[in-house]
Amino acid sequence: MLYNNDIDIAPILARKVAVIGYGSQGRAQALNLRDSGVDVTVGLRPKSPGREQAAADGVAVADVVEAVAAADVVAMLIPDEAQPAVYRSIEPSLREGATLVFAHGFNIYYGRIEPRADLDVVMAAPFGIGEKVRSLYEAGGGTAGMVAVDADASGHALSIALGFAKALGLGHGGVIETTFKEETETDLFAEQAVLCGGLTHLITAAYETLVGAGYAPEIAYFSCLHEVKLMADVIHTEGIARMRESISSTAAFGDATRGPRVINEQSRREMAAMLDEIRDGRFAEEQAREMAAGGPVLAEYRREAAGHSIEKVGRPLREAMKNED
Ligand code: NDP
Ligand code: MG
């Protein structure tokens, strides 16, 4: 891990930065860069609602191509699926020897963007949503994060990436050097197996099991969904072993003897198969077909999720608990 004292911010202070996009990461990163003393301009479409927000935040805004043409470093902070077309539209305007910065390796690793040979291609990826990247920085800290270099045409790519990461505040949380391959594969796998796919399906299946057996949906909601945050917070701050020390011995015995039946040999085989599909490109191809077709699978999946009883039961409960805060 590299921390603030190990990283020189000078390479990024010496360069003009364009941040393309003013969404979750774009806003947080543009503001952190600016407050770290970096010369930053946000590039947005003519009618983007982000323009008003950026102006209110006191950040310079320009059209995408204009911002890119004036920059030494261009950070691609728009949705991953929008990046290939935007890259094609800005490529002619990118300065000779400029640096492209990504917050996720997907498009470079799967070849959806093939940058010009004179460009440096790097990653500065915070471990955290944009809101966190900004709020920790404002509090004098920062999230941890990763840097990687995919192309080093200038010979300075790593020092530019590190300077950029330090200006984002990542030197407070710590910076790990990785590769586009490792970041992309681990990020996709973690969101599929744990953070999104695994967690939501685990909660929903357990809830359905209780409700199907005749238990009150509200009680199923509290026990299988609401309490996840309490356990996740303990795991996050203390680790799994300490969490197991802090629960009752009845809970610990159930964990030890029943947990392996939920995540069993078949689940592990499926995890290995999912990782294979990520590594050999099958997942990315499947996702590209879905996007090209206008996202029918995702639309149906979201529609189903919104109509699930766990939502109908959870909404008023969450509303009521908000009022208590
Ligand atoms: P957002 O969805 O928040 O980006 C929205 C912004 O992108 C808006 O300003 C929008 O402008 C702009 N935008 C969208 N399409 C275009 C386009 N075609 N041309 C110009 N601007 C466009 O993105 P995220 O911040 O979620 O993600 C950005 C990158 O960061 C991705 O690579 C993602 O993987 C990575 N990342 C994201 C994290 C997160 O916290 N969300 C965490 C770590 C990495 P408009 O108003 O005009 O639509
Ligand atoms: Mg991800």
Side-chain angles (χ1 to χ4, degrees), residues 38-62:
V38 178
D39 179 349
V40 59
T41 298
V42 174
L44 285 169
R45 297 188 274 206
K47 293 197 173 128
S48 172
R51 284 180 174 250
E52 212 168 295
Q53 169 94 67
D57 292 335
V59 191
V61 184

Side-chain angles (χ1 to χ4, degrees), residues 22-25 44-45 48-49 77-80 83 86 103-104 129-130:
Y22 207 66
S24 177
Q25 288 295 326
L44 285 169
R45 297 188 274 206
S48 172
L77 297 175
I78 64 177
D80 294 297
Q83 291 179 12
V86 169
H104 181 28
I129 58 169

Side-chain angles (χ1 to χ4, degrees), residues 12-246:
I12 203 68
L13 295 180
R15 289 171 168 80
K16 287 190 68 154
V17 176
V19 166
I20 310 305
Y22 207 66
S24 177
Q25 288 295 326
R27 175 165 190 264
Q29 296 199 20
L31 294 178
N32 290 8
L33 289 163
R34 181 203 61 191
D35 292 345
S36 294
V38 178
D39 179 349
V40 59
T41 298
V42 174
L44 285 169
R45 297 188 274 206
K47 293 197 173 128
S48 172
R51 284 180 174 250
E52 212 168 295
Q53 169 94 67
D57 292 335
V59 191
V61 184
D63 288 332
V64 172
V65 160
E66 208 180 297
V68 165
D72 308 300
V73 174
V74 175
M76 274 282 201
L77 297 175
I78 64 177
D80 294 297
E81 62 271 19
Q83 291 179 12
V86 169
Y87 176 76
R88 282 191 296 278
S89 74
I90 64 170
E91 192 180 59
S93 313
L94 280 159
R95 287 184 175 176
E96 173 88 20
T99 302
L100 275 179
V101 185
F102 292 87
H104 181 28
F106 192 93
N107 284 308
I108 294 295
Y109 180 53
Y110 289 117
R112 305 258 175 97
I113 295 177
E114 295 183 50
R116 238 169 43 200
D118 59 288
L119 303 173
D120 286 351
V121 181
V122 306
M123 179 179 356
F127 283 121
I129 58 169
E131 242 172 79
K132 203 84 192 159
V133 170
R134 181 58 183 161
S135 63
L136 287 179
Y137 181 94
E138 282 183 303
T143 67
M146 293 170 276
V147 297
V149 172
D150 187 69
D152 186 9
S154 71
H156 304 296
L158 181 59
S159 61
I160 295 168
L162 285 169
F164 191 98
K166 183 173 184 173
L168 295 182
L170 308 188
H172 288 276
V175 177
I176 311 173
E177 198 180 336
T178 182
T179 60
F180 276 60
K181 174 178 162 64
E182 183 176 58
E183 185 275 338
T184 304
E185 292 175 350
T186 55
D187 183 81
L188 292 176
F189 180 74
E191 68 198 17
Q192 293 175 15
V194 185
L195 308 174
C196 308
L199 187 60
T200 59
H201 284 260
L202 180 65
I203 291 169
T204 308
Y207 170 90
E208 287 172 356
T209 301
L210 287 180
V211 173
Y215 295 94
E218 290 78 8
I219 294 180
Y221 178 89
F222 275 107
S223 54
C224 297
L225 185 152
H226 182 74
E227 300 218 20
V228 166
K229 179 167 179 354
L230 308 176
M231 300 318 293
D233 282 345
V234 180
I235 291 173
H236 182 87
T237 52
E238 309 282 343
I240 288 175
R242 281 289 300 280
M243 181 279 275
R244 285 182 173 149
E245 293 301 318
S246 71

